[in-house]
Amino acid sequence: MKRIGIVGAGRMAFARGKALLDTGEAEIIAVASRNIEHARRLARKLGAQEAFDDYRRIGSLKPDALLIEVPHGAQTEIVKWGIDVAPGILVGAALAVNLREAEEIEKRAEEKGCLIEAGYDARYSAVWEKAKDILESGVLGEPVLVQSLALFPASPSSWYYKEKESGGMPLTHMTYCFINPVRWVLGSVVDVSASANQLLMRGKEFVEQEMCAAILRFQNDSLYSAVAGYIRPPGFPNLEVRFICTEGGLEILPSRRILKIYRDTGVEEIDFSSHPSSLLRQAEKFIDALDGKAACLNPPSDAKIDVAISEAIVKAAKNRIVVRLQR
Ligand SMILES: NC(=O)c1ccc[n+]([C@@H]2O[C@H](COP(=O)([O-])OP(=O)(O)OC[C@H]3O[C@@H](n4cnc5c(N)ncnc54)[C@H](OP(=O)(O)O)[C@@H]3O)[C@@H](O)[C@H]2O)c1
């Protein structure tokens, strides 16, 4: 049984904490959050004995692993502390707010032998796995273009909408939706161009790339047009991904966990909604990886690429240039 400490007491701390419990191989020993009442409430829900308003107090309990679910601006300091106190860390989504910090974390974790897994859970979802298998099998020919839409009606009062606390919309939202899983399927990104605007929440504290359209070019010359932002009209589609291939196409509807396959024989729809959730599968893999029985899919060496791409998107949008990524 793995003894897990949680830092953060928000939405994802609960969802992932529950997923860890649902593996049947973990117990939550403590929850820490700035607001002790929030920590206590989540500790009660997840059956943890301890609640703290200072995350450092988890260290004395010698946890087997940490789950860190806080705004990105606060995350690096906590992850660096975590590397010294636990053999494993599962962290919200983005590895860090910039590439320099991501590489520091990668190096420090390697030195200390700490397993770090970034929380990009799409790679553990049955619908993305199937899409990857189909595309790699070649039955649809070559992928030539990917198009995605990801609209999230973030609350202007939340940390998501604050440039400094979130690290920016491309980092917080676009890497998750869907740069991380798309490059899992298509491989290395060679260059990035982008345009962005900030028309609804215009204050300096708000995310500078409120709405953004980015174009990523992959090594095989396929293109990915990613549109994302924090303005979503009521009832409007929020998450869609389409792969256009030379001999067919794929459509992923992530919220409904549906995959549509387009071929000359017709359209086939596969519903993955009854499959185990990606959060549960990621939690299982993380626990196995702590014992060296499996490898996680988002180690720092790979997750830092999402940070690099988000930096490239911001640079391209600000300077109206194409940014080449180092390989
Ligand atoms: N995989 C997914 O599906 C998915 C989806 C959305 C988000 N995420 C990621 O999950 C992570 C957490 O997001 P969330 O939506 O759970 O956020 P959230 O609900 O806003 O919760 C954030 C938590 O962090 C704590 N916190 C805030 N500022 C802090 C600071 N400066 N120092 C220490 N703790 C602080 C808050 O504590 P208090 O309440 O005590 O102030 C709160 O408990 C992020 O990395 C996000 O990108 C993943």
Side-chain angles (χ1 to χ4, degrees):
M1 192 62 79
K2 298 295 177 207
R3 300 167 62 256
I4 315 258
I6 301 182
V7 184
R11 194 169 65 95
M12 291 313 296
F14 172 68
R16 277 188 203 281
K18 176 151 185 337
L20 284 159
L21 285 181
D22 286 347
T23 64
E25 291 180 36
E27 62 173 316
I28 309 302
I29 54 168
V31 177
S33 203
R34 286 180 310 184
N35 180 323
I36 188 68
E37 281 315 314
H38 294 168
R40 285 192 183 125
R41 195 166 58 213
L42 186 61
R44 269 195 304 275
K45 279 189 190 169
L46 298 177
Q49 295 290 324
E50 305 277 3
F52 304 123
D53 58 4
D54 177 355
Y55 64 83
R56 288 177 188 82
R57 292 189 58 194
I58 295 180
S60 62
L61 303 177
K62 302 208 178 320
D64 294 315
L66 295 166
L67 170 64
I68 299 177
E69 295 285 1
V70 299
H72 301 145
Q75 183 183 293
T76 296
E77 182 190 307
I78 302 172
V79 171
K80 283 184 179 166
W81 158 83
I83 291 170
D84 290 335
V85 305
I89 300 175
L90 177 56
V91 59
L95 186 61
V97 286
N98 58 48
L99 186 58
R100 183 183 51 75
E101 286 187 359
E103 286 180 334
E104 249 178 73
I105 287 169
E106 180 189 19
K107 184 162 173 272
R108 212 159 148 156
E110 254 172 41
E111 284 166 5
K112 296 274 179 171
C114 177
L115 171 90
I116 297 191
E117 162 75 344
Y120 295 114
D121 56 289
R123 295 183 180 199
Y124 296 87
S125 77
V127 64
W128 276 96
E129 261 177 10
K130 182 73 177 174
K132 184 169 166 29
D133 282 353
I134 292 172
L135 290 165
E136 285 176 357
S137 75
V139 292
L140 300 179
E142 281 290 311
V144 286
L145 184 85
V146 187
Q147 185 194 43
S148 73
L149 176 74
L151 303 180
F152 170 47
S155 162
S157 62
S158 73
W159 65 268
Y160 284 94
Y161 232 120
K162 308 286 164 38
E163 181 69 21
K164 225 170 148 202
E165 287 176 64
S166 67
M169 193 283 290
L171 179 80
T172 300
H173 190 46
M174 293 182 90
T175 60
Y176 185 74
C177 300
F178 295 94
I179 290 168
N180 176 274
V182 168
R183 65 180 189 79
W184 184 51
V185 173
L186 293 187
S188 302
V189 175
V190 292
D191 64 44
V192 173
S193 49
S195 274
N197 60 20
Q198 183 187 6
L199 298 176
L200 182 64
M201 302 307 300
R202 292 170 186 251
K204 271 200 173 329
E205 72 272 31
F206 295 113
V207 287
E208 289 171 28
Q209 290 79 38
E210 184 180 52
M211 299 297 286
C212 182
I215 296 179
L216 279 56
R217 182 181 294 276
F218 286 82
Q219 209 157 25
N220 74 343
D221 223 23
S222 57
L223 297 174
Y224 171 26
S225 159
V227 172
Y230 285 166
I231 301 170
R232 180 190 172 207
F236 206 76
N238 60 342
L239 302 175
E240 293 174 349
V241 190
R242 296 191 186 91
F243 286 82
I244 296 157
C245 306
T246 51
E247 292 165 44
L250 281 185
E251 188 175 8
I252 298 175
L253 302 172
S255 325
R256 293 167 54 206
R257 299 206 263 161
I258 280 178
L259 178 67
K260 286 185 180 178
I261 307 161
Y262 294 79
R263 273 183 276 217
D264 52 7
T265 48
V267 184
E268 182 190 354
E269 184 171 305
I270 312 179
D271 183 343
F272 291 91
S273 57
S274 62
H275 285 236
S277 78
S278 51
L279 293 184
L280 174 60
R281 292 180 73 202
Q282 187 175 33
E284 286 169 345
K285 187 71 84 141
F286 177 67
I287 285 174
D288 282 350
L290 287 172
D291 287 332
K293 290 193 282 194
C296 288
L297 299 177
N298 298 291
S301 56
D302 186 84
K304 72 179 181 185
I305 297 170
D306 297 299
V307 180
I309 293 171
S310 108
E311 279 186 351
I313 290 174
V314 171
K315 193 171 170 189
K318 280 188 171 170
N319 300 294
R320 309 276 166 97
I321 55 170
V322 176
V323 177
R324 283 196 68 78
L325 287 170
Q326 286 183 335
R327 271 186 269 144

